[in-house]
Amino acid sequence: MVKIVSSYDVVIVGAGPAGATAAKFLSEKGVKVLLLDKNRFPRDKPCGGVLSVKTLKRFSYISEELISSYSFGGRIYSSSQNHHIEVQLEKPIAAFVVRKDFDHGLVQLAVKSGTSFRDGVSATDIQILKEKAIVRLDNGDSVESELVIGADGVWSMIAKKSGLGQHYPYVGRCLYEEIPYAQNVLDEHFTKKRTFQMYLKFRGVYGFGWVAPKKDCVNVGIGEIQSTGSQRTKHSLQELYHEYLHFLKEHKLIPTIISPGKTQGGFLPLHPLDKTFADRILLCGDAAGQMNPLTGDGIHYAMSAGKFAADTCAMAIESSKTNASFLSKYQTLWKNDFGEEMKLCGRVLKMLLKGNRDEKYIRLLSRDQQIVDLLLTMATEGRIQEYQWKIIRRFVSLYVRDFFGL
C-alpha cells in the first residue's frame, strides 16, 4: 500500500535552474509547491557557469551576490590555434557564476516565495492516475500532486518513467574543474574584463575546450560529442583533460601556479526531446534536452522553460485541465521562444566541427569584424529571426570573395 505523506498542487523533481525557477514563479502565483533534489544543497554542477546578457535581462531578479564576475570579451581558436576570432567590448557580453552558489541562491528565492524544499531525497518512481500523480521517494514515502515537473537532468527519471525521454543519439560529455586563485592573480592575468577562451577540436576531438575566468577561480574544462553507443572510456577523456590543462599552462593561457581543484564530469543533451509533456507531466531543462549545442549554455533555456512550465501549470490548475492536450501549450511556448535558436546553433556546430572546416571558417570570420559583431549580437540578445539571414548573406559573400582571392 502506498504511504502518502503529503499533498501538493505541483511536485518539481530537480532543483537546478529549471526546477528552482518554476518553483519560484508557481509559488508567487499562490500554488502549493514541493521542490525535491537528490543532492544536499549547496552542491556543485558540471557546467562552465556562463549567463548570457539576455538571461540577465529576462530574469532581472538575479542579484549581484549570485554573480562571480562579468566577461567583456573572448577568443575562439581553430583546432590548430593558427586562427582565432576575438571580441572585446566596453560592456559585458556575459556573466560568470559558480554553480554551487548560483543554484543554491535560486532555490532560496523559491523558498522565500513559499516553496517547500527537500534536498537529499531522490524520486524513484512516478504513477499517473486519472485523478492525481504520485511520486515515490527513496525513503519509502510518497507524495501526491495535480502535476509533476521533471527537471531532474539529462538522465531524467521522470522522462524515462513517463515514456517521454532519454532518446539521445548523441550527447556531450565533459570534464572540468574550478581552479582557485587569488583575485589579484586573476586580475593580472585576465584583467578585470575576464576574457574567456574556447578551443575548437583540441587534439582533433569532436568538441571543444574552454577557460572561464571568474572572480577567484578559473573554470577549465573540455567536452566531446559522442554517440550514446560509443565505447570511448572515461579514462581517455581524463587523459585528454590533463593534456589540455598542460597545454594551457605551457602557453601561459592560465596562471601556471595551480592549487588543484576537484575534477568533475557530466553529460549534456544536444537535442531536445520530441515531446516534453504528457498527462500531468512537464519536462524542462536538461531533462527535456533544452541546451544550446553550440555554446553549451543550458541555464538560459532551463530558466526560460521553468518560467513557461510554471505559467502552464498555473493555468492547468486554475482550469482543472491537466491532460496532455492542455499541457501541450508549454511546448508551444518554449519552441516559439528558443526552438529555432537551438536548431540553428546545432547546424552551426556541426558545420564547424566537420572535417577541417573550423580552420577555414575561423580564418574567414577573423577577417570580418562586422559578421563577428552580428554573431555576438544574435548570441547575446537572442534575436535569431532578425539576424540569421543577414549573417548567412554576409558569410556567403565572404566565402565567395575568399574563393576567388578577392
Side-chain angles (χ1 to χ4, degrees):
M1 182 175 178
V2 177
K3 178 186 174 184
I4 304 295
V5 296
S6 51
S7 179
Y8 296 86
D9 295 324
V10 180
V11 171
I12 302 174
V13 182
T21 301
K24 174 183 182 295
F25 283 106
L26 278 168
S27 294
E28 288 175 348
K29 296 174 186 291
V31 177
K32 187 179 180 183
V33 179
L34 174 64
L35 179 62
L36 300 169
D37 200 280
K38 63 183 179 181
N39 296 301
R40 290 287 182 186
F41 273 57
R43 60 92 177 95
D44 288 318
K45 180 74 173 179
C47 180
V50 181
L51 293 187
S52 63
V53 172
K54 62 186 177 183
T55 308
L56 298 176
K57 289 180 179 179
R58 174 169 288 184
F59 302 99
S60 58
Y61 59 81
I62 297 175
S63 65
E64 290 293 326
E65 288 76 19
L66 299 182
I67 294 172
S68 176
S69 64
Y70 290 95
S71 176
F72 292 76
R75 300 185 190 94
I76 301 176
Y77 292 86
S78 66
S79 53
S80 68
Q81 287 97 51
N82 290 329
H83 308 289
H84 73 274
I85 55 177
E86 182 169 357
V87 174
Q88 291 291 341
L89 299 181
E90 294 302 315
K91 59 182 181 180
I93 63 172
F96 292 137
V97 299
V98 176
R99 286 294 301 271
K100 184 176 182 179
D101 301 327
F102 182 73
D103 289 17
H104 183 59
L106 294 184
V107 168
Q108 292 306 305
L109 289 172
V111 170
K112 288 179 182 178
S113 298
T115 295
S116 297
F117 176 51
R118 294 181 62 184
D119 58 350
V121 178
S122 292
T124 59
D125 200 2
I126 183 172
Q127 184 178 7
I128 302 301
L129 305 176
K130 183 178 180 180
E131 69 280 3
K132 62 186 174 183
I134 298 175
V135 178
R136 293 183 173 84
L137 309 179
D138 61 355
N139 62 1
D141 293 342
S142 294
V143 293
E144 64 179 22
S145 62
E146 291 293 314
L147 295 161
V148 175
I149 295 177
D152 48 338
V154 62
W155 307 123
S156 165
M157 181 280 292
I158 302 297
K160 181 179 180 180
K161 295 287 186 177
S162 64
L164 290 175
Q166 300 192 357
H167 310 300
Y168 299 116
Y170 294 92
V171 293
R173 195 158 64 96
C174 69
L175 283 177
Y176 88 104
E177 64 182 303
E178 299 249 342
I179 305 172
Y181 290 99
Q183 185 176 343
N184 66 308
V185 172
L186 296 183
D187 288 345
E188 181 178 348
H189 193 92
F190 294 101
T191 78
K192 292 186 177 181
K193 293 197 170 185
R194 294 297 194 268
T195 301
F196 72 84
Q197 302 160 37
M198 182 182 290
Y199 297 87
L200 297 175
K201 297 182 68 176
F202 181 77
R203 299 295 187 260
V205 168
Y206 200 66
F208 58 85
W210 68 86
V211 176
K214 303 179 182 181
K215 181 180 179 180
D216 51 12
C217 65
V218 178
N219 186 295
V220 175
I222 193 160
E224 66 170 346
I225 299 170
Q226 66 172 74
S227 166
T228 50
S230 171
Q231 297 301 309
R232 187 179 177 91
T233 65
K234 181 179 179 180
H235 179 67
S236 62
L237 187 59
Q238 187 83 38
E239 288 179 344
L240 181 68
Y241 172 76
H242 287 299
E243 188 176 349
Y244 176 59
L245 191 61
H246 177 76
F247 161 80
L248 295 174
K249 290 189 292 182
E250 183 181 27
H251 292 84
K252 296 181 170 57
L253 298 168
I254 60 173
T256 54
I257 300 174
I258 287 182
S259 299
K262 179 183 177 183
T263 305
Q264 300 185 74
F267 290 88
L268 302 171
L270 297 176
H271 191 278
L273 297 177
D274 293 333
K275 190 178 176 185
T276 55
F277 61 92
D279 288 343
R280 297 188 182 275
I281 293 175
L282 295 178
L283 301 177
C284 54
D286 285 357
Q290 294 160 336
M291 193 200 74
N292 186 316
L294 180 61
T295 65
D297 172 22
I299 296 177
H300 180 76
Y301 294 165
M303 293 184 70
S304 297
K307 172 65 165 60
F308 296 141
D311 292 342
T312 305
C313 286
M315 289 188 293
I317 291 171
E318 184 178 2
S319 62
S320 298
K321 296 179 180 178
T322 57
N323 55 43
S325 178
F326 187 88
L327 296 179
S328 67
K329 298 176 187 294
Y330 160 70
Q331 183 152 315
T332 301
L333 287 171
W334 73 255
K335 279 197 168 184
N336 286 344
D337 187 64
F338 56 80
E340 285 302 313
E341 181 176 310
M342 291 179 72
K343 289 181 181 179
L344 177 62
C345 289
R347 290 196 293 268
V348 171
L349 179 66
K350 186 176 181 179
M351 180 181 72
L352 276 175
L353 297 182
K354 187 173 182 179
N356 294 317
R357 291 181 182 180
D358 67 293
E359 293 291 334
K360 183 165 189 173
Y361 293 151
I362 297 297
R363 176 176 61 82
L364 289 176
L365 292 173
S366 68
R367 294 166 48 186
D368 190 326
Q369 190 59 44
Q370 186 173 346
I371 195 172
V372 172
D373 291 342
L374 285 170
L375 286 166
L376 180 64
T377 301
M378 186 177 71
T380 56
E381 298 183 9
R383 291 146 62 183
I384 297 295
Q385 300 299 329
E386 179 179 347
Y387 287 102
Q388 66 172 322
W389 291 112
K390 292 181 182 179
I391 292 169
I392 290 171
R393 285 194 296 268
R394 189 165 185 87
F395 187 79
V396 169
S397 174
L398 182 63
Y399 194 94
V400 170
R401 293 201 308 271
D402 180 75
F403 182 81
F404 288 104
L406 301 177

